[in-house]
């Protein structure tokens, strides 16, 4: 299986390294050439453009910043990807973005899986990310060997969009816990100042 990867940031970068170090043929593309420099010591092949990557890959991971970036990357990939190939969206984006792209990809017999991750760069480097997956069962099963290179837990939660819904709940809980911790620290400081009076 030839794997492509787009989005070599603080989380995507370690994910890509785990994939190539696991022995998968890996194709990389980035807008900024300097982003590719850390892979010069690996077997990864740097390709000239997204269309070339799409034409050659069986599986492409996408880990770019936002919905607009995901739509742009996936749109370009779909122009050249072969029937039977697949795209895994690791970015945290709106579930409807993934659903719309999956419908567009289905016209070319390409599968789209939404597979946002939790655990950050350190989790990616350690291979302990949690992957929340939405998509067709057969496509998810085919993608699983790639996901296993950087994850400790893979949860297939339903159809396309289900992974993004789970990630949004996860992020909401994290934000709520941070707010609660901040409030608790504030209460401790306030009570401490009262006790010193």
């Amino acid at each position: 299986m030839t794997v492509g990867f787009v989005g070599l940031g603080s989380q995507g970068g370690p994910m890509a390294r785990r994939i190539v170090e696991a022995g998968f043929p890996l194709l990389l593309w980035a807008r900024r050439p300097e982003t590719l420099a850390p892979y010069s010591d690996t077997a990864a092949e740097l390709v000239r453009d997204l269309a070339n990557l799409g034409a050659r890959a069986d599986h492409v991971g996408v880990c770019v910043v936002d919905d607009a970036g995901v739509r742009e990357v996936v749109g370009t990939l779909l122009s050249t990807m072969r029937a039977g190939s697949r795209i895994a969206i690791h970015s945290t984006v709106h579930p409807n973005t993934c659903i719309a792209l999956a419908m567009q990809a289905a016209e070319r017999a390409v599968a789209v899986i939404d597979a946002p991750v939790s655990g950050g760069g350190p989790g990616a480097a350690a291979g302990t990310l949690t992957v929340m997956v939405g998509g067709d069962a057969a496509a998810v099963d085919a993608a699983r060997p790639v996901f296993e290179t950087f994850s400790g837990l893979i949860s297939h939660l339903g159809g396309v969009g289900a992974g993004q819904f789970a990630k949004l709940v996860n992020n909401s809980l994290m934000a709520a816990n941070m707010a609660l911790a901040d409030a608790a620290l504030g209460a401790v400081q306030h009570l401490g100042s009262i006790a010193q009076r």
Side-chain angles (χ1 to χ4, degrees):
M1 184 194 312
T2 298
V3 179
F5 205 93
V6 181
L8 302 172
S10 61
Q11 191 159 248
M15 291 166 68
R17 182 169 283 273
R18 295 281 306 191
I19 293 167
V20 70
E21 289 180 349
F24 285 99
L26 182 66
L27 308 173
L28 298 176
W29 176 86
R31 285 190 176 90
R32 294 176 292 117
E34 62 270 20
T35 308
L36 300 169
Y39 304 92
S40 60
D41 64 338
T42 73
E45 180 183 345
L46 315 182
V47 299
R48 66 182 183 274
D49 56 43
L50 270 176
N52 180 264
L53 187 150
R56 297 172 57 195
D58 304 299
H59 173 111
V60 181
V62 178
C63 195
V64 297
V65 175
D66 55 20
D67 292 70
V70 168
R71 284 191 293 267
E72 180 183 353
V73 167
V74 172
T76 303
L77 289 170
L78 287 177
S79 68
T80 57
M81 289 186 78
R82 301 182 304 273
S85 56
R86 67 192 162 275
I87 299 170
I89 299 173
H90 298 298
S91 309
T92 300
V93 295
H94 197 289
N96 288 345
T97 297
C98 296
I99 293 167
L101 290 172
M103 293 173 64
Q104 182 181 342
E107 296 175 2
R108 296 185 60 88
V110 174
V112 166
I113 302 166
D114 66 305
V117 295
S118 179
T128 59
L129 291 177
T130 295
V131 188
M132 293 155 270
V133 187
D136 172 76
V140 172
D141 286 346
R144 195 172 291 273
V146 179
F147 295 165
E148 287 173 345
T149 66
F150 51 73
S151 68
L153 175 64
I154 302 166
S155 293
H156 184 197
L157 301 166
V160 174
Q164 297 295 342
F165 279 116
K167 182 63 187 293
L168 293 173
V169 170
N170 179 76
N171 286 2
S172 297
L173 288 171
M174 182 179 69
N177 285 330
M178 290 176 67
L180 182 61
D182 182 64
L185 287 172
V188 168
Q189 290 173 343
H190 178 67
L191 292 171
S193 66
I194 292 174
Q196 291 172 3
R197 290 178 188 167

